[in-house]
mmCIF file of all heavy atoms in Angstrom:
data_model
loop_
_atom_site.group_PDB
_atom_site.id
_atom_site.type_symbol
_atom_site.label_atom_id
_atom_site.label_comp_id
_atom_site.label_asym_id
_atom_site.label_seq_id
_atom_site.Cartn_x
_atom_site.Cartn_y
_atom_site.Cartn_z
ATOM 1 N N GLU N 24 0.855 -1.178 0.000
ATOM 2 C CA GLU N 24 0.001 0.002 0.001
ATOM 3 C C GLU N 24 0.894 1.233 0.000
ATOM 4 O O GLU N 24 2.107 1.140 0.208
ATOM 5 C CB GLU N 24 -0.950 0.013 1.209
ATOM 6 C CG GLU N 24 -0.252 -0.041 2.550
ATOM 7 C CD GLU N 24 -1.229 -0.255 3.700
ATOM 8 O OE1 GLU N 24 -2.292 -0.823 3.461
ATOM 9 O OE2 GLU N 24 -0.893 0.151 4.833
ATOM 10 N N ARG N 25 0.280 2.395 -0.238
ATOM 11 C CA ARG N 25 1.030 3.647 -0.243
ATOM 12 C C ARG N 25 0.251 4.725 0.485
ATOM 13 O O ARG N 25 -0.961 4.861 0.309
ATOM 14 C CB ARG N 25 1.309 4.111 -1.677
ATOM 15 C CG ARG N 25 2.120 5.410 -1.732
ATOM 16 C CD ARG N 25 2.382 5.851 -3.154
ATOM 17 N NE ARG N 25 1.184 6.330 -3.839
ATOM 18 C CZ ARG N 25 0.686 7.558 -3.695
ATOM 19 N NH1 ARG N 25 1.244 8.413 -2.860
ATOM 20 N NH2 ARG N 25 -0.388 7.910 -4.373
ATOM 21 N N THR N 26 0.950 5.481 1.318
ATOM 22 C CA THR N 26 0.373 6.646 1.971
ATOM 23 C C THR N 26 0.813 7.885 1.204
ATOM 24 O O THR N 26 1.403 7.798 0.132
ATOM 25 C CB THR N 26 0.829 6.729 3.435
ATOM 26 O OG1 THR N 26 2.241 6.981 3.484
ATOM 27 C CG2 THR N 26 0.532 5.422 4.161
ATOM 28 N N ARG N 27 0.550 9.045 1.767
ATOM 29 C CA ARG N 27 0.933 10.275 1.085
ATOM 30 C C ARG N 27 2.447 10.441 0.989
ATOM 31 O O ARG N 27 2.946 11.081 0.064
ATOM 32 C CB ARG N 27 0.344 11.492 1.805
ATOM 33 C CG ARG N 27 -1.162 11.599 1.674
ATOM 34 C CD ARG N 27 -1.678 12.868 2.323
ATOM 35 N NE ARG N 27 -3.121 12.960 2.207
ATOM 36 C CZ ARG N 27 -3.761 13.474 1.175
ATOM 37 N NH1 ARG N 27 -3.062 13.945 0.156
ATOM 38 N NH2 ARG N 27 -5.072 13.527 1.139
ATOM 39 N N ASP N 28 3.188 9.883 1.939
ATOM 40 C CA ASP N 28 4.631 10.109 1.951
ATOM 41 C C ASP N 28 5.456 8.830 2.047
ATOM 42 O O ASP N 28 6.667 8.900 2.250
ATOM 43 C CB ASP N 28 5.013 11.038 3.112
ATOM 44 C CG ASP N 28 4.652 10.452 4.469
ATOM 45 O OD1 ASP N 28 4.004 9.393 4.508
ATOM 46 O OD2 ASP N 28 5.034 11.059 5.487
ATOM 47 N N ALA N 29 4.849 7.662 1.897
ATOM 48 C CA ALA N 29 5.627 6.431 2.045
ATOM 49 C C ALA N 29 4.964 5.265 1.325
ATOM 50 O O ALA N 29 3.737 5.180 1.235
ATOM 51 C CB ALA N 29 5.821 6.091 3.524
ATOM 52 N N TYR N 30 5.833 4.369 0.786
ATOM 53 C CA TYR N 30 5.386 3.050 0.343
ATOM 54 C C TYR N 30 5.451 2.106 1.542
ATOM 55 O O TYR N 30 6.269 2.293 2.445
ATOM 56 C CB TYR N 30 6.294 2.492 -0.751
ATOM 57 C CG TYR N 30 6.224 3.218 -2.073
ATOM 58 C CD1 TYR N 30 7.283 4.013 -2.499
ATOM 59 C CD2 TYR N 30 5.132 3.084 -2.921
ATOM 60 C CE1 TYR N 30 7.251 4.665 -3.726
ATOM 61 C CE2 TYR N 30 5.089 3.736 -4.154
ATOM 62 C CZ TYR N 30 6.149 4.533 -4.538
ATOM 63 O OH TYR N 30 6.110 5.170 -5.745
ATOM 64 N N ARG N 31 4.633 1.068 1.521
ATOM 65 C CA ARG N 31 4.712 0.020 2.535
ATOM 66 C C ARG N 31 4.904 -1.321 1.844
ATOM 67 O O ARG N 31 4.087 -1.721 1.005
ATOM 68 C CB ARG N 31 3.443 0.002 3.397
ATOM 69 C CG ARG N 31 3.382 1.168 4.383
ATOM 70 C CD ARG N 31 2.123 1.151 5.214
ATOM 71 N NE ARG N 31 2.056 2.329 6.089
ATOM 72 C CZ ARG N 31 0.923 2.882 6.495
ATOM 73 N NH1 ARG N 31 -0.233 2.361 6.127
ATOM 74 N NH2 ARG N 31 0.944 3.942 7.289
ATOM 75 N N PHE N 32 6.013 -1.982 2.200
ATOM 76 C CA PHE N 32 6.325 -3.294 1.657
ATOM 77 C C PHE N 32 6.256 -4.316 2.794
ATOM 78 O O PHE N 32 6.702 -4.038 3.911
ATOM 79 C CB PHE N 32 7.725 -3.306 1.036
ATOM 80 C CG PHE N 32 7.913 -2.261 -0.033
ATOM 81 C CD1 PHE N 32 8.555 -1.062 0.243
ATOM 82 C CD2 PHE N 32 7.438 -2.470 -1.312
ATOM 83 C CE1 PHE N 32 8.731 -0.097 -0.730
ATOM 84 C CE2 PHE N 32 7.600 -1.520 -2.307
ATOM 85 C CZ PHE N 32 8.251 -0.330 -2.019
ATOM 86 N N ALA N 33 5.699 -5.489 2.505
ATOM 87 C CA ALA N 33 5.490 -6.510 3.527
ATOM 88 C C ALA N 33 6.408 -7.697 3.275
ATOM 89 O O ALA N 33 6.669 -8.082 2.128
ATOM 90 C CB ALA N 33 4.033 -6.966 3.540
ATOM 91 N N ALA N 34 6.908 -8.274 4.371
ATOM 92 C CA ALA N 34 7.734 -9.482 4.299
ATOM 93 C C ALA N 34 7.416 -10.342 5.512
ATOM 94 O O ALA N 34 7.377 -9.844 6.647
ATOM 95 C CB ALA N 34 9.220 -9.131 4.263
ATOM 96 N N ASP N 35 7.173 -11.636 5.287
ATOM 97 C CA ASP N 35 6.948 -12.600 6.360
ATOM 98 C C ASP N 35 8.267 -13.321 6.644
ATOM 99 O O ASP N 35 8.826 -13.965 5.750
ATOM 100 C CB ASP N 35 5.863 -13.600 5.963
ATOM 101 C CG ASP N 35 4.504 -12.928 5.786
ATOM 102 O OD1 ASP N 35 4.141 -12.112 6.644
ATOM 103 O OD2 ASP N 35 3.823 -13.215 4.786
ATOM 104 N N VAL N 36 8.752 -13.196 7.889
ATOM 105 C CA VAL N 36 10.049 -13.763 8.257
ATOM 106 C C VAL N 36 9.837 -14.768 9.391
ATOM 107 O O VAL N 36 9.288 -14.422 10.445
ATOM 108 C CB VAL N 36 11.033 -12.660 8.705
ATOM 109 C CG1 VAL N 36 12.422 -13.257 8.954
ATOM 110 C CG2 VAL N 36 11.107 -11.553 7.657
ATOM 111 N N LYS N 37 10.274 -15.993 9.173
ATOM 112 C CA LYS N 37 10.135 -17.042 10.169
ATOM 113 C C LYS N 37 11.176 -16.880 11.274
ATOM 114 O O LYS N 37 12.188 -16.209 11.076
ATOM 115 C CB LYS N 37 10.258 -18.413 9.509
ATOM 116 C CG LYS N 37 9.151 -18.715 8.513
ATOM 117 C CD LYS N 37 9.338 -20.092 7.891
ATOM 118 C CE LYS N 37 8.229 -20.404 6.892
ATOM 119 N NZ LYS N 37 8.401 -21.734 6.265
ATOM 120 N N PRO N 38 10.959 -17.531 12.437
ATOM 121 C CA PRO N 38 11.922 -17.407 13.536
ATOM 122 C C PRO N 38 13.309 -17.895 13.124
ATOM 123 O O PRO N 38 13.458 -18.946 12.497
ATOM 124 C CB PRO N 38 11.322 -18.303 14.628
ATOM 125 C CG PRO N 38 9.876 -18.416 14.285
ATOM 126 C CD PRO N 38 9.784 -18.327 12.802
ATOM 127 N N GLY N 39 14.328 -17.100 13.464
ATOM 128 C CA GLY N 39 15.708 -17.453 13.174
ATOM 129 C C GLY N 39 16.112 -17.321 11.728
ATOM 130 O O GLY N 39 17.238 -17.688 11.370
ATOM 131 N N GLU N 40 15.243 -16.793 10.872
ATOM 132 C CA GLU N 40 15.566 -16.675 9.457
ATOM 133 C C GLU N 40 15.699 -15.206 9.059
ATOM 134 O O GLU N 40 15.472 -14.307 9.854
ATOM 135 C CB GLU N 40 14.494 -17.365 8.608
ATOM 136 C CG GLU N 40 14.428 -18.874 8.822
ATOM 137 C CD GLU N 40 13.473 -19.544 7.845
ATOM 138 O OE1 GLU N 40 12.899 -18.817 7.002
ATOM 139 O OE2 GLU N 40 13.318 -20.774 7.921
ATOM 140 N N ARG N 41 16.093 -15.023 7.798
ATOM 141 C CA ARG N 41 16.303 -13.680 7.266
ATOM 142 C C ARG N 41 15.327 -13.413 6.121
ATOM 143 O O ARG N 41 14.873 -14.338 5.453
ATOM 144 C CB ARG N 41 17.739 -13.508 6.754
ATOM 145 C CG ARG N 41 18.819 -13.666 7.817
ATOM 146 C CD ARG N 41 20.202 -13.621 7.193
ATOM 147 N NE ARG N 41 21.251 -13.839 8.171
ATOM 148 C CZ ARG N 41 21.890 -12.874 8.825
ATOM 149 N NH1 ARG N 41 21.560 -11.616 8.592
ATOM 150 N NH2 ARG N 41 22.840 -13.149 9.697
ATOM 151 N N GLY N 42 15.055 -12.157 5.924
ATOM 152 C CA GLY N 42 14.229 -11.719 4.807
ATOM 153 C C GLY N 42 14.897 -10.560 4.097
ATOM 154 O O GLY N 42 15.796 -9.904 4.642
ATOM 155 N N LEU N 43 14.469 -10.302 2.879
ATOM 156 C CA LEU N 43 15.080 -9.236 2.084
ATOM 157 C C LEU N 43 14.009 -8.556 1.243
ATOM 158 O O LEU N 43 13.205 -9.215 0.576
ATOM 159 C CB LEU N 43 16.177 -9.795 1.177
ATOM 160 C CG LEU N 43 16.909 -8.794 0.281
ATOM 161 C CD1 LEU N 43 17.693 -7.796 1.128
ATOM 162 C CD2 LEU N 43 17.831 -9.503 -0.689
ATOM 163 N N ILE N 44 14.004 -7.227 1.285
ATOM 164 C CA ILE N 44 13.140 -6.414 0.432
ATOM 165 C C ILE N 44 14.050 -5.484 -0.358
ATOM 166 O O ILE N 44 14.766 -4.663 0.224
ATOM 167 C CB ILE N 44 12.118 -5.599 1.251
ATOM 168 C CG1 ILE N 44 11.155 -6.536 1.990
ATOM 169 C CG2 ILE N 44 11.337 -4.653 0.344
ATOM 170 C CD1 ILE N 44 10.174 -5.809 2.889
ATOM 171 N N GLU N 45 14.043 -5.610 -1.693
ATOM 172 C CA GLU N 45 14.870 -4.783 -2.556
ATOM 173 C C GLU N 45 13.964 -3.821 -3.332
ATOM 174 O O GLU N 45 13.129 -4.253 -4.117
ATOM 175 C CB GLU N 45 15.677 -5.647 -3.528
ATOM 176 C CG GLU N 45 16.738 -6.502 -2.837
ATOM 177 C CD GLU N 45 17.533 -7.341 -3.807
ATOM 178 O OE1 GLU N 45 16.894 -8.112 -4.569
ATOM 179 O OE2 GLU N 45 18.764 -7.238 -3.806
ATOM 180 N N VAL N 46 14.163 -2.543 -3.092
ATOM 181 C CA VAL N 46 13.336 -1.500 -3.710
ATOM 182 C C VAL N 46 14.156 -0.812 -4.797
ATOM 183 O O VAL N 46 15.273 -0.352 -4.550
ATOM 184 C CB VAL N 46 12.867 -0.471 -2.664
ATOM 185 C CG1 VAL N 46 11.968 0.575 -3.317
ATOM 186 C CG2 VAL N 46 12.126 -1.162 -1.528
ATOM 187 N N ALA N 47 13.613 -0.754 -5.993
ATOM 188 C CA ALA N 47 14.266 -0.087 -7.121
ATOM 189 C C ALA N 47 13.334 0.993 -7.659
ATOM 190 O O ALA N 47 12.146 0.755 -7.862
ATOM 191 C CB ALA N 47 14.619 -1.081 -8.228
ATOM 192 N N GLU N 48 13.898 2.189 -7.897
ATOM 193 C CA GLU N 48 13.133 3.320 -8.407
ATOM 194 C C GLU N 48 13.919 3.984 -9.533
ATOM 195 O O GLU N 48 15.146 3.946 -9.553
ATOM 196 C CB GLU N 48 12.855 4.336 -7.298
ATOM 197 C CG GLU N 48 12.015 3.808 -6.150
ATOM 198 C CD GLU N 48 11.951 4.791 -4.993
ATOM 199 O OE1 GLU N 48 12.973 4.920 -4.284
ATOM 200 O OE2 GLU N 48 10.910 5.412 -4.799
ATOM 201 N N GLU N 49 13.187 4.605 -10.450
ATOM 202 C CA GLU N 49 13.831 5.333 -11.542
ATOM 203 C C GLU N 49 13.201 6.710 -11.691
ATOM 204 O O GLU N 49 12.063 6.951 -11.272
ATOM 205 C CB GLU N 49 13.720 4.567 -12.855
ATOM 206 C CG GLU N 49 12.334 4.563 -13.460
ATOM 207 C CD GLU N 49 12.328 4.038 -14.884
ATOM 208 O OE1 GLU N 49 13.410 3.675 -15.376
ATOM 209 O OE2 GLU N 49 11.235 3.987 -15.488
ATOM 210 N N ARG N 50 13.991 7.581 -12.314
ATOM 211 C CA ARG N 50 13.532 8.952 -12.545
ATOM 212 C C ARG N 50 14.022 9.415 -13.902
ATOM 213 O O ARG N 50 15.188 9.202 -14.255
ATOM 214 C CB ARG N 50 14.063 9.884 -11.455
ATOM 215 C CG ARG N 50 13.675 11.342 -11.610
ATOM 216 C CD ARG N 50 14.365 12.184 -10.558
ATOM 217 N NE ARG N 50 14.060 13.600 -10.701
ATOM 218 C CZ ARG N 50 14.664 14.570 -10.035
ATOM 219 N NH1 ARG N 50 15.600 14.260 -9.153
ATOM 220 N NH2 ARG N 50 14.346 15.825 -10.214
ATOM 221 N N GLN N 51 13.138 10.003 -14.689
ATOM 222 C CA GLN N 51 13.498 10.549 -15.993
ATOM 223 C C GLN N 51 13.815 12.032 -15.825
ATOM 224 O O GLN N 51 12.987 12.807 -15.330
ATOM 225 C CB GLN N 51 12.346 10.371 -16.989
ATOM 226 C CG GLN N 51 11.932 8.926 -17.219
ATOM 227 C CD GLN N 51 12.916 8.168 -18.087
ATOM 228 O OE1 GLN N 51 13.712 8.755 -18.797
ATOM 229 N NE2 GLN N 51 12.855 6.848 -18.025
ATOM 230 N N LEU N 52 15.034 12.418 -16.227
ATOM 231 C CA LEU N 52 15.488 13.794 -16.054
ATOM 232 C C LEU N 52 15.847 14.377 -17.411
ATOM 233 O O LEU N 52 16.737 13.859 -18.100
ATOM 234 C CB LEU N 52 16.701 13.834 -15.108
ATOM 235 C CG LEU N 52 17.233 15.214 -14.740
ATOM 236 C CD1 LEU N 52 16.169 16.009 -13.976
ATOM 237 C CD2 LEU N 52 18.503 15.107 -13.917
ATOM 238 N N ALA N 53 15.159 15.437 -17.818
ATOM 239 C CA ALA N 53 15.411 16.094 -19.103
ATOM 240 C C ALA N 53 16.312 17.298 -18.901
ATOM 241 O O ALA N 53 16.146 18.067 -17.947
ATOM 242 C CB ALA N 53 14.093 16.521 -19.750
ATOM 243 N N GLN N 54 17.282 17.459 -19.808
ATOM 244 C CA GLN N 54 18.230 18.567 -19.736
ATOM 245 C C GLN N 54 18.291 19.251 -21.091
ATOM 246 O O GLN N 54 18.383 18.592 -22.130
ATOM 247 C CB GLN N 54 19.617 18.062 -19.331
ATOM 248 C CG GLN N 54 20.650 19.165 -19.159
ATOM 249 C CD GLN N 54 22.009 18.604 -18.781
ATOM 250 O OE1 GLN N 54 22.243 17.412 -18.891
ATOM 251 N NE2 GLN N 54 22.900 19.464 -18.338
ATOM 252 N N GLN N 55 18.250 20.581 -21.092
ATOM 253 C CA GLN N 55 18.278 21.354 -22.326
ATOM 254 C C GLN N 55 19.600 22.116 -22.427
ATOM 255 O O GLN N 55 20.013 22.783 -21.476
ATOM 256 C CB GLN N 55 17.106 22.336 -22.384
ATOM 257 C CG GLN N 55 15.740 21.665 -22.383
ATOM 258 C CD GLN N 55 14.613 22.649 -22.562
ATOM 259 O OE1 GLN N 55 14.836 23.823 -22.825
ATOM 260 N NE2 GLN N 55 13.387 22.176 -22.427
ATOM 261 N N ILE N 56 20.246 21.995 -23.601
ATOM 262 C CA ILE N 56 21.524 22.654 -23.830
ATOM 263 C C ILE N 56 21.464 23.345 -25.186
ATOM 264 O O ILE N 56 21.020 22.747 -26.183
ATOM 265 C CB ILE N 56 22.694 21.640 -23.817
ATOM 266 C CG1 ILE N 56 22.661 20.794 -22.555
ATOM 267 C CG2 ILE N 56 24.032 22.356 -23.934
ATOM 268 C CD1 ILE N 56 23.676 19.672 -22.552
ATOM 269 N N ALA N 57 21.912 24.603 -25.250
ATOM 270 C CA ALA N 57 21.967 25.326 -26.523
ATOM 271 C C ALA N 57 23.090 24.732 -27.371
ATOM 272 O O ALA N 57 24.241 24.651 -26.938
ATOM 273 C CB ALA N 57 22.189 26.812 -26.287
ATOM 274 N N LEU N 58 22.765 24.305 -28.596
ATOM 275 C CA LEU N 58 23.758 23.690 -29.468
ATOM 276 C C LEU N 58 24.868 24.663 -29.849
ATOM 277 O O LEU N 58 26.008 24.257 -30.090
ATOM 278 C CB LEU N 58 23.075 23.163 -30.728
ATOM 279 C CG LEU N 58 22.271 21.865 -30.538
ATOM 280 C CD1 LEU N 58 21.370 21.613 -31.733
ATOM 281 C CD2 LEU N 58 23.206 20.699 -30.338
ATOM 282 N N SER N 59 24.544 25.946 -29.882
ATOM 283 C CA SER N 59 25.568 26.932 -30.230
ATOM 284 C C SER N 59 26.646 27.024 -29.153
ATOM 285 O O SER N 59 27.784 27.408 -29.441
ATOM 286 C CB SER N 59 24.919 28.300 -30.452
ATOM 287 O OG SER N 59 24.210 28.702 -29.289
ATOM 288 N N ASN N 60 26.299 26.669 -27.906
ATOM 289 C CA ASN N 60 27.261 26.723 -26.808
ATOM 290 C C ASN N 60 27.940 25.381 -26.544
ATOM 291 O O ASN N 60 28.802 25.296 -25.669
ATOM 292 C CB ASN N 60 26.572 27.186 -25.524
ATOM 293 C CG ASN N 60 25.965 28.566 -25.656
ATOM 294 O OD1 ASN N 60 26.462 29.396 -26.424
ATOM 295 N ND2 ASN N 60 24.897 28.828 -24.928
ATOM 296 N N LEU N 61 27.545 24.345 -27.280
ATOM 297 C CA LEU N 61 28.063 23.004 -27.033
ATOM 298 C C LEU N 61 29.321 22.787 -27.877
ATOM 299 O O LEU N 61 29.323 23.001 -29.091
ATOM 300 C CB LEU N 61 27.000 21.965 -27.397
ATOM 301 C CG LEU N 61 27.103 20.591 -26.740
ATOM 302 C CD1 LEU N 61 27.050 20.715 -25.231
ATOM 303 C CD2 LEU N 61 25.982 19.685 -27.227
ATOM 304 N N ARG N 62 30.391 22.364 -27.215
ATOM 305 C CA ARG N 62 31.648 22.125 -27.902
ATOM 306 C C ARG N 62 31.565 20.862 -28.758
ATOM 307 O O ARG N 62 30.735 19.979 -28.523
ATOM 308 C CB ARG N 62 32.786 22.008 -26.889
ATOM 309 C CG ARG N 62 33.045 23.286 -26.111
ATOM 310 C CD ARG N 62 34.043 23.065 -25.002
ATOM 311 N NE ARG N 62 35.266 22.394 -25.476
ATOM 312 C CZ ARG N 62 36.271 22.058 -24.683
ATOM 313 N NH1 ARG N 62 36.191 22.300 -23.374
ATOM 314 N NH2 ARG N 62 37.339 21.472 -25.181
ATOM 315 N N GLU N 63 32.499 20.804 -29.761
ATOM 316 C CA GLU N 63 32.478 19.679 -30.682
ATOM 317 C C GLU N 63 32.719 18.352 -29.967
ATOM 318 O O GLU N 63 32.090 17.340 -30.281
ATOM 319 C CB GLU N 63 33.517 19.865 -31.790
ATOM 320 C CG GLU N 63 33.190 20.973 -32.797
ATOM 321 C CD GLU N 63 33.647 22.337 -32.307
ATOM 322 O OE1 GLU N 63 34.137 22.407 -31.160
ATOM 323 O OE2 GLU N 63 33.499 23.317 -33.054
ATOM 324 N N ASP N 64 33.620 18.329 -28.979
ATOM 325 C CA ASP N 64 33.907 17.077 -28.276
ATOM 326 C C ASP N 64 32.709 16.604 -27.464
ATOM 327 O O ASP N 64 32.482 15.398 -27.307
ATOM 328 C CB ASP N 64 35.142 17.234 -27.388
ATOM 329 C CG ASP N 64 35.009 18.402 -26.423
ATOM 330 O OD1 ASP N 64 34.046 19.179 -26.566
ATOM 331 O OD2 ASP N 64 35.860 18.537 -25.530
ATOM 332 N N ALA N 65 31.910 17.557 -26.935
ATOM 333 C CA ALA N 65 30.700 17.175 -26.203
ATOM 334 C C ALA N 65 29.649 16.611 -27.157
ATOM 335 O O ALA N 65 28.926 15.662 -26.824
ATOM 336 C CB ALA N 65 30.135 18.372 -25.439
#
C-alpha cells in the first residue's frame, strides 16, 4: 500500500531466518543545452 509520503512493503520472516526487500526506483530527467554553446567534443 502507499500513503501520502511512504510506500509500505510486507515481508513474512520465520523465527531465526532472514528476509530481504529490494526496492528499485527510476527517474526521468530532461536537460536542455543550446547547441551553439556546445563544444564539438561534447
Side-chain angles (χ1 to χ4, degrees):
E24 58 189 26
R25 181 180 70 81
T26 66
R27 290 184 181 274
D28 61 354
Y30 292 108
R31 286 179 184 151
F32 304 100
D35 295 315
V36 185
K37 296 180 180 179
E40 295 187 1
R41 298 174 183 267
L43 180 65
I44 296 176
E45 293 181 304
V46 182
E48 298 171 287
E49 72 169 0
R50 179 186 178 190
Q51 301 285 341
L52 184 63
Q54 183 181 14
Q55 298 185 7
I56 308 173
L58 285 166
S59 58
N60 300 331
L61 203 59
R62 296 172 51 182
E63 290 85 356
D64 55 351

